[in-house]
Amino acid sequence: CAPQAPFPVAIVHGTEDALAYYNGYGLEAPFLSIPQAIDAWVGKMGCEGFPSEEELPDRTADWTTVTAIRYEECDPGSAILHLRVNGGGHTWPGDTGPWGSFVGRVSRDIDATREILEFFQSVEGRS
């Protein structure tokens, strides 16, 4: 992966994802942990310094919380947003789809689609 130009990166992942483990490995092939994957993107996007971390409001009693981890001191046109869904499974936060318990908890604390759209728009506005 050698991008020709910097771009924004958004990563949404549940810490209790039983299909693509937050701390690495998965179904059949080894996978990087999410922190390792983020570190790789940090290097590729020229990010410096420490990220900001914000505990988002716990709006529902769904046994999840969300931490927004932002790297904003990156190359022009780039930034990284990691929405860590604490206690979340292999699901899309905010989705009301027919998820079975086998994929884990669904966080209703955020609408991940809206959060990502706002993130990309904010990076575009800074470019």
Side-chain angles (χ1 to χ4, degrees), residues 44-125:
K44 290 184 182 306
M45 295 301 132
C47 301
E48 297 179 357
F50 293 99
S52 65
E53 287 194 27
E54 176 187 6
E55 298 300 324
L56 301 181
D58 188 9
R59 300 181 193 279
T60 61
D62 59 12
W63 296 284
T64 71
T65 61
V66 179
T67 306
I69 303 166
R70 295 178 178 89
Y71 294 82
E72 297 179 305
E73 295 180 29
C74 304
D75 290 342
S78 181
I80 299 171
L81 169 65
H82 172 38
L83 296 171
R84 183 179 65 211
V85 184
N86 307 301
H90 193 78
T91 59
W92 192 249
D95 188 5
T96 57
W99 300 104
S101 61
F102 66 94
V103 294
R105 292 188 182 108
V106 179
S107 179
R108 306 276 193 252
D109 294 325
I110 63 168
D111 177 339
T113 303
R114 183 171 6 100
E115 295 284 338
I116 291 171
L117 178 61
E118 289 174 2
F119 166 68
F120 282 114
Q121 289 172 333
S122 74
V123 173
E124 183 178 281

XYZ file of all heavy atoms in Angstrom, residues 44-125:
636
model
N 1.874 6.145 7.129
C 1.630 6.433 5.708
C 1.027 7.813 5.480
O 1.223 8.416 4.436
C 0.738 5.367 5.101
C 1.432 4.025 4.964
C 0.561 3.018 4.274
C 1.225 1.668 4.176
N 2.533 1.655 3.572
N 0.291 8.327 6.454
C -0.369 9.625 6.303
C 0.418 10.759 6.963
O -0.066 11.882 7.051
C -1.797 9.581 6.872
C -2.709 8.641 6.120
S -2.848 9.084 4.361
C -2.579 7.515 3.591
N 1.642 10.468 7.409
C 2.512 11.505 7.943
C 2.003 12.138 9.228
O 2.290 13.310 9.488
N 1.280 11.384 10.037
C 0.740 11.941 11.282
C 1.843 12.046 12.335
O 2.724 11.197 12.410
C -0.388 11.063 11.813
S -1.755 10.864 10.657
N 1.748 13.101 13.129
C 2.723 13.344 14.196
C 1.992 13.585 15.502
O 0.819 13.942 15.526
C 3.574 14.555 13.846
C 4.414 14.363 12.598
C 5.242 15.582 12.258
O 5.130 16.604 12.966
O 5.997 15.513 11.286
N 2.721 13.426 16.592
C 2.150 13.694 17.902
C 1.205 12.600 18.346
O 1.112 11.528 17.756
N 0.507 12.902 19.410
C -0.409 11.938 19.995
C -1.832 12.219 19.524
O -2.191 13.364 19.263
C -0.352 12.011 21.526
C 0.966 11.564 22.083
C 1.921 12.496 22.453
C 1.249 10.215 22.213
C 3.142 12.083 22.963
C 2.469 9.800 22.707
C 3.422 10.736 23.091
N -2.654 11.171 19.456
C -4.041 11.395 19.057
C -4.841 11.992 20.217
O -4.449 11.883 21.379
C -4.539 9.982 18.761
C -3.738 9.111 19.684
C -2.368 9.765 19.725
N -5.956 12.601 19.876
C -6.902 13.015 20.916
C -7.868 11.860 21.126
O -8.157 11.100 20.193
C -7.659 14.279 20.497
O -8.471 14.017 19.380
N -8.336 11.708 22.355
C -9.311 10.670 22.674
C -10.498 11.310 23.342
O -10.330 12.132 24.245
C -8.718 9.599 23.591
C -7.740 8.695 22.902
C -7.412 7.441 23.712
O -8.253 7.000 24.529
O -6.311 6.913 23.523
N -11.686 10.930 22.902
C -12.915 11.473 23.469
C -13.889 10.329 23.712
O -14.209 9.569 22.790
C -13.530 12.479 22.501
C -14.862 13.026 22.947
C -15.526 13.900 21.901
O -15.025 14.001 20.766
O -16.572 14.478 22.231
N -14.344 10.219 24.958
C -15.395 9.253 25.266
C -16.710 9.888 24.842
O -17.103 10.919 25.376
C -15.409 8.931 26.767
C -14.133 8.285 27.277
C -13.793 6.969 26.605
O -14.723 6.191 26.271
O -12.596 6.700 26.390
N -17.374 9.300 23.864
C -18.635 9.835 23.379
C -19.756 9.494 24.365
O -19.634 8.531 25.133
C -18.931 9.303 21.985
C -17.868 9.636 20.932
C -18.266 9.090 19.572
C -17.608 11.125 20.854
N -20.833 10.263 24.363
C -21.914 10.016 25.325
C -22.486 8.601 25.205
O -22.695 8.089 24.104
C -22.963 11.060 24.948
C -22.200 12.148 24.269
C -21.083 11.451 23.546
N -22.720 7.991 26.352
C -23.327 6.664 26.428
C -24.841 6.872 26.421
O -25.470 7.027 27.458
C -22.853 5.950 27.692
C -23.286 4.503 27.744
O -23.811 3.988 26.738
O -23.102 3.880 28.808
N -25.424 6.883 25.236
C -26.823 7.283 25.054
C -27.841 6.177 25.305
O -29.013 6.458 25.511
C -27.024 7.829 23.642
C -26.163 9.036 23.334
C -26.431 9.545 21.923
N -25.433 10.489 21.485
C -25.404 11.775 21.799
N -26.322 12.268 22.589
N -24.449 12.560 21.346
N -27.415 4.933 25.211
C -28.367 3.835 25.346
C -27.811 2.763 26.275
O -26.602 2.662 26.473
C -28.679 3.195 23.980
O -27.465 2.663 23.445
C -29.275 4.196 23.012
N -28.688 1.951 26.792
C -28.284 0.846 27.677
C -28.048 -0.401 26.827
O -28.782 -1.383 26.911
C -29.358 0.609 28.735
N -27.010 -0.343 25.984
C -26.731 -1.460 25.079
C -25.428 -2.177 25.443
O -24.931 -2.977 24.679
C -26.701 -0.982 23.622
C -25.650 0.094 23.371
O -24.787 0.324 24.238
O -25.711 0.720 22.300
N -24.852 -1.863 26.566
C -23.620 -2.463 27.072
C -22.417 -2.154 26.187
O -21.470 -2.925 26.105
C -23.766 -3.970 27.281
C -24.769 -4.305 28.319
C -24.612 -4.208 29.671
C -26.092 -4.768 28.107
N -25.755 -4.576 30.306
C -26.692 -4.927 29.359
C -26.846 -5.054 26.973
C -27.987 -5.361 29.513
C -28.136 -5.486 27.128
C -28.689 -5.642 28.389
N -22.472 -1.022 25.490
C -21.327 -0.555 24.717
C -21.085 0.919 25.023
O -21.984 1.615 25.484
C -21.543 -0.685 23.189
O -22.510 0.269 22.758
C -21.958 -2.086 22.786
N -19.883 1.359 24.747
C -19.532 2.774 24.727
C -18.651 2.979 23.500
O -18.168 2.013 22.902
C -18.774 3.227 25.999
O -17.554 2.477 26.099
C -19.626 3.039 27.248
N -18.438 4.240 23.137
C -17.618 4.524 21.964
C -16.559 5.550 22.330
O -16.859 6.570 22.957
C -18.466 5.047 20.781
C -17.579 5.367 19.580
C -19.537 4.035 20.404
N -15.320 5.264 21.946
C -14.212 6.192 22.105
C -13.795 6.662 20.719
O -13.501 5.838 19.840
C -13.015 5.518 22.800
O -13.446 4.935 24.035
C -11.896 6.512 23.062
N -13.801 7.981 20.509
C -13.332 8.553 19.247
C -11.862 8.920 19.415
O -11.513 9.724 20.281
C -14.153 9.779 18.873
N -11.009 8.312 18.615
C -9.573 8.558 18.650
C -9.217 9.236 17.331
O -9.444 8.667 16.259
C -8.795 7.242 18.848
C -9.266 6.558 20.142
C -7.293 7.499 18.853
C -8.831 5.122 20.283
N -8.688 10.456 17.444
C -8.440 11.269 16.248
C -6.964 11.644 16.128
O -6.366 12.140 17.071
C -9.272 12.546 16.308
C -10.756 12.323 16.246
C -11.516 13.655 16.363
N -12.939 13.466 16.262
C -13.743 13.226 17.292
N -13.258 13.182 18.514
N -15.041 13.053 17.110
N -6.437 11.423 14.931
C -5.107 11.900 14.556
C -5.353 13.017 13.559
O -5.836 12.760 12.450
C -4.289 10.793 13.898
C -3.945 9.640 14.809
C -4.856 8.627 15.051
C -2.689 9.561 15.410
C -4.541 7.556 15.883
C -2.361 8.488 16.234
C -3.294 7.494 16.461
O -2.968 6.443 17.279
N -5.045 14.242 13.927
C -5.338 15.372 13.053
C -4.093 16.116 12.586
O -4.175 16.917 11.669
C -6.306 16.325 13.758
C -7.637 15.637 14.023
C -8.643 16.487 14.740
O -8.317 17.009 15.826
O -9.740 16.637 14.196
N -2.953 15.845 13.201
C -1.701 16.482 12.782
C -1.026 15.589 11.752
O -0.002 14.971 12.013
C -0.806 16.725 13.993
C -1.393 17.710 14.986
C -0.490 17.934 16.182
O 0.745 17.799 16.036
O -1.025 18.239 17.251
N -1.636 15.526 10.578
C -1.171 14.654 9.507
C -0.882 15.491 8.259
O -1.098 16.700 8.262
C -2.254 13.608 9.190
S -2.769 12.628 10.624
N -0.410 14.826 7.210
C -0.170 15.524 5.948
C -1.448 16.223 5.493
O -2.547 15.756 5.786
C 0.283 14.533 4.877
C 1.688 13.993 5.131
O 2.441 14.614 5.912
O 2.022 12.938 4.549
N -1.323 17.343 4.769
C -2.518 18.033 4.268
C -3.428 17.079 3.492
O -2.950 16.275 2.686
C -1.945 19.121 3.355
C -0.580 19.374 3.902
C -0.085 18.025 4.380
N -4.719 17.168 3.767
C -5.692 16.307 3.112
C -5.911 14.991 3.822
O -6.685 14.146 3.365
N -5.222 14.811 4.938
C -5.340 13.549 5.647
C -5.665 13.764 7.114
O -5.390 14.817 7.693
C -4.041 12.750 5.537
O -4.192 11.516 6.209
N -6.241 12.772 7.707
C -6.496 12.660 9.144
C -6.964 11.229 9.350
O -7.318 10.532 8.394
C -7.562 13.650 9.602
N -6.933 10.781 10.588
C -7.377 9.425 10.898
C -8.381 9.504 12.031
O -8.127 10.164 13.047
C -6.190 8.518 11.285
C -5.209 8.418 10.112
C -6.680 7.129 11.708
C -3.901 7.726 10.450
N -9.504 8.822 11.858
C -10.515 8.695 12.897
C -10.695 7.217 13.196
O -10.931 6.417 12.284
C -11.855 9.274 12.434
C -13.055 8.975 13.337
C -12.897 9.642 14.706
C -14.349 9.407 12.666
N -10.558 6.870 14.466
C -10.849 5.502 14.898
C -11.992 5.572 15.894
O -11.866 6.203 16.950
C -9.619 4.858 15.529
C -9.892 3.527 16.171
N -10.764 2.596 15.640
C -9.420 2.982 17.301
C -10.793 1.532 16.420
N -9.993 1.750 17.444
N -13.119 4.966 15.550
C -14.242 4.840 16.464
C -14.140 3.453 17.091
O -14.463 2.445 16.447
C -15.567 5.032 15.731
C -15.771 6.420 15.132
C -17.012 6.445 14.246
C -15.860 7.479 16.224
N -13.623 3.409 18.310
C -13.472 2.142 19.037
C -14.777 1.882 19.778
O -15.152 2.644 20.666
C -12.295 2.210 20.009
C -12.050 0.891 20.730
C -10.874 0.976 21.677
N -11.183 1.911 22.755
C -10.275 2.655 23.380
N -9.006 2.621 23.030
N -10.633 3.471 24.356
N -15.453 0.829 19.394
C -16.733 0.492 20.004
C -16.451 -0.504 21.129
O -16.282 -1.698 20.895
C -17.716 -0.083 18.964
C -19.076 -0.325 19.607
C -17.838 0.867 17.779
N -16.348 0.018 22.326
C -16.016 -0.784 23.498
C -17.182 -1.715 23.829
O -18.281 -1.263 24.108
C -15.716 0.140 24.680
C -14.659 1.166 24.329
O -13.534 0.823 23.963
N -15.017 2.438 24.412
N -16.938 -3.014 23.722
C -17.991 -4.001 23.950
C -18.779 -4.342 22.702
O -19.646 -5.215 22.732
N -18.492 -3.670 21.586
C -19.223 -3.902 20.344
C -18.726 -5.124 19.603
O -17.562 -5.511 19.703
N -19.626 -5.752 18.840
C -19.293 -6.938 18.064
C -19.021 -6.616 16.609
O -18.617 -5.509 16.256
N -19.288 -7.587 15.749
C -19.064 -7.472 14.305
C -20.328 -6.883 13.685
O -21.054 -7.546 12.924
C -18.747 -8.861 13.729
C -18.210 -8.835 12.339
N -16.908 -8.512 12.057
C -18.788 -9.103 11.144
C -16.702 -8.586 10.758
N -17.848 -8.946 10.169
N -20.625 -5.641 14.049
C -21.867 -4.976 13.667
C -21.564 -3.529 13.296
O -20.453 -3.047 13.528
C -22.877 -4.998 14.827
O -22.293 -4.339 15.951
C -23.255 -6.420 15.205
N -22.553 -2.840 12.735
C -22.397 -1.439 12.344
C -23.124 -0.564 13.356
O -24.340 -0.650 13.484
C -22.943 -1.224 10.941
C -22.556 0.093 10.368
C -23.386 1.153 10.120
C -21.247 0.513 9.979
N -22.668 2.205 9.591
C -21.337 1.830 9.493
C -19.991 -0.105 9.992
C -20.241 2.546 9.034
C -18.900 0.612 9.531
C -19.031 1.920 9.049
N -22.398 0.296 14.092
C -23.034 1.128 15.127
C -24.152 2.009 14.569
O -23.972 2.688 13.563
C -21.884 1.979 15.653
C -20.664 1.165 15.373
C -20.951 0.483 14.065
N -25.281 1.959 15.250
C -26.424 2.753 14.862
C -27.398 1.992 13.988
O -28.558 2.363 13.872
N -26.951 0.914 13.366
C -27.799 0.134 12.485
C -28.842 -0.607 13.311
O -28.542 -1.162 14.361
C -26.954 -0.858 11.685
C -27.740 -1.585 10.613
O -28.929 -1.280 10.406
O -27.145 -2.465 9.974
N -30.055 -0.625 12.828
C -31.118 -1.342 13.525
C -31.452 -2.644 12.806
O -32.534 -3.192 12.975
C -32.389 -0.462 13.635
O -32.781 -0.076 12.321
C -32.144 0.757 14.484
N -30.506 -3.117 12.014
C -30.722 -4.340 11.243
C -30.955 -5.558 12.117
O -30.817 -5.507 13.336
N -31.308 -6.668 11.484
C -31.659 -7.889 12.219
C -30.428 -8.693 12.637
O -30.195 -9.789 12.150
C -32.509 -8.654 11.200
C -31.894 -8.258 9.881
C -31.475 -6.807 10.053
N -29.635 -8.128 13.507
C -28.412 -8.804 13.929
C -28.750 -9.892 14.925
O -29.528 -9.702 15.835
C -27.447 -7.817 14.579
C -27.050 -6.708 13.675
C -27.504 -5.424 13.724
C -26.166 -6.780 12.572
N -26.935 -4.689 12.713
C -26.109 -5.492 11.994
C -25.411 -7.794 12.010
C -25.323 -5.218 10.885
C -24.633 -7.511 10.905
C -24.593 -6.236 10.357
N -28.126 -11.040 14.765
C -28.265 -12.110 15.736
C -27.189 -11.980 16.795
O -26.177 -11.301 16.596
N -27.385 -12.604 17.913
C -26.411 -12.494 19.009
C -25.064 -13.093 18.637
O -24.059 -12.789 19.267
C -26.959 -13.161 20.266
O -27.185 -14.536 20.013
N -25.008 -13.925 17.589
C -23.737 -14.550 17.207
C -22.716 -13.548 16.688
O -21.524 -13.834 16.672
C -23.967 -15.651 16.158
C -24.463 -15.145 14.836
C -23.577 -14.856 13.820
C -25.819 -14.949 14.622
C -24.033 -14.383 12.595
C -26.284 -14.484 13.403
C -25.393 -14.203 12.387
N -23.135 -12.354 16.249
C -22.181 -11.362 15.752
C -21.821 -10.333 16.812
O -20.989 -9.475 16.573
C -22.670 -10.652 14.476
C -22.758 -11.628 13.315
C -23.982 -9.955 14.691
N -22.441 -10.396 17.967
C -22.079 -9.493 19.060
C -23.035 -8.328 19.208
O -24.024 -8.193 18.492
N -22.693 -7.478 20.151
C -23.540 -6.333 20.478
C -23.478 -5.246 19.411
O -22.427 -4.968 18.852
C -23.100 -5.724 21.805
C -23.352 -6.615 22.986
C -23.060 -5.861 24.285
N -23.255 -6.745 25.399
C -22.252 -7.244 26.136
N -21.012 -6.904 25.888
N -22.520 -8.052 27.127
N -24.613 -4.593 19.202
C -24.711 -3.437 18.316
C -24.754 -2.199 19.196
O -25.582 -2.111 20.099
C -26.001 -3.482 17.463
C -26.087 -2.254 16.571
C -26.068 -4.755 16.649
N -23.868 -1.248 18.934
C -23.900 0.015 19.672
C -24.938 0.935 19.058
O -24.966 1.137 17.840
C -22.531 0.693 19.644
O -22.607 1.916 20.340
N -25.783 1.500 19.906
C -26.762 2.487 19.464
C -26.357 3.886 19.940
O -27.135 4.818 19.854
C -28.153 2.145 20.012
C -28.628 0.753 19.698
C -29.257 0.658 18.335
N -29.980 -0.600 18.179
C -29.575 -1.596 17.433
N -28.446 -1.503 16.764
N -30.283 -2.688 17.313
N -25.122 3.999 20.448
C -24.650 5.283 20.978
C -24.292 6.272 19.881
O -24.306 7.481 20.105
C -23.450 5.075 21.905
C -23.825 4.312 23.152
O -24.962 4.501 23.648
O -23.001 3.526 23.645
N -23.943 5.767 18.699
C -23.614 6.632 17.559
C -24.249 6.064 16.304
O -24.625 4.889 16.262
C -22.087 6.767 17.330
C -21.473 5.406 16.972
C -21.402 7.427 18.520
C -20.064 5.473 16.451
N -24.320 6.889 15.291
C -24.651 6.460 13.940
C -23.325 6.535 13.180
O -22.862 7.629 12.820
C -25.697 7.394 13.331
C -26.034 7.060 11.891
O -25.228 6.394 11.207
O -27.101 7.492 11.437
N -22.684 5.391 12.988
C -21.344 5.375 12.389
C -21.336 5.997 10.995
O -20.370 6.675 10.630
C -20.804 3.953 12.343
N -22.391 5.809 10.237
C -22.449 6.389 8.890
C -22.369 7.906 8.972
O -21.593 8.537 8.241
C -23.733 5.943 8.169
O -23.753 4.504 8.134
C -23.786 6.497 6.759
N -23.139 8.503 9.867
C -23.130 9.960 10.005
C -21.773 10.442 10.523
O -21.246 11.444 10.047
C -24.241 10.423 10.946
C -24.268 11.947 11.036
C -25.463 12.543 11.774
N -26.389 11.660 12.426
C -26.400 11.388 13.743
N -25.516 11.928 14.531
N -27.313 10.584 14.256
N -21.212 9.734 11.507
C -19.914 10.131 12.064
C -18.826 10.144 10.992
O -18.015 11.067 10.923
C -19.504 9.177 13.199
C -20.393 9.198 14.406
C -20.200 10.411 15.285
O -19.126 11.047 15.231
O -21.137 10.723 16.049
N -18.821 9.128 10.137
C -17.804 9.046 9.082
C -18.018 10.131 8.031
O -17.054 10.770 7.593
C -17.787 7.639 8.459
C -17.246 6.646 9.488
C -16.974 7.602 7.181
C -17.365 5.203 9.077
N -19.253 10.361 7.644
C -19.539 11.425 6.679
C -19.070 12.772 7.207
O -18.392 13.533 6.495
C -21.030 11.462 6.362
C -21.473 12.569 5.409
C -20.805 12.427 4.056
C -22.989 12.562 5.263
N -19.381 13.074 8.460
C -18.949 14.338 9.055
C -17.430 14.430 9.132
O -16.851 15.491 8.895
C -19.575 14.510 10.437
C -21.067 14.779 10.390
C -21.730 14.800 11.756
O -21.030 14.644 12.790
O -22.962 14.956 11.805
N -16.775 13.311 9.417
C -15.311 13.285 9.462
C -14.717 13.615 8.094
O -13.858 14.489 7.966
C -14.825 11.896 9.935
C -13.373 11.642 9.698
C -12.400 12.339 10.399
C -12.965 10.694 8.778
C -11.044 12.086 10.176
C -11.627 10.420 8.548
C -10.667 11.141 9.253
N -15.192 12.955 7.034
C -14.660 13.220 5.691
C -14.946 14.659 5.261
O -14.097 15.295 4.648
C -15.206 12.211 4.675
C -14.530 10.878 4.736
C -15.227 9.742 5.139
C -13.196 10.742 4.401
C -14.606 8.512 5.209
C -12.556 9.502 4.470
C -13.259 8.382 4.873
N -16.110 15.159 5.587
C -16.422 16.549 5.253
C -15.518 17.521 6.002
O -15.101 18.536 5.437
C -17.901 16.852 5.554
C -18.844 16.171 4.585
C -20.300 16.317 4.983
O -20.648 16.474 6.141
N -21.169 16.235 3.992
N -15.196 17.216 7.250
C -14.327 18.125 8.014
C -12.910 18.137 7.465
O -12.273 19.184 7.399
C -14.306 17.752 9.494
O -13.557 16.586 9.741
N -12.405 16.992 7.013
C -11.065 16.935 6.433
C -11.059 17.666 5.099
O -10.148 18.428 4.803
C -10.580 15.479 6.259
C -9.251 15.429 5.502
C -10.434 14.807 7.620
N -12.091 17.480 4.308
C -12.196 18.171 3.024
C -12.230 19.685 3.239
O -11.632 20.440 2.490
C -13.461 17.717 2.295
C -13.612 18.323 0.917
C -14.853 17.802 0.229
O -14.797 16.681 -0.289
O -15.872 18.518 0.235
N -12.909 20.125 4.284
C -13.011 21.553 4.579
C -11.694 22.171 5.007
O -11.484 23.368 4.885
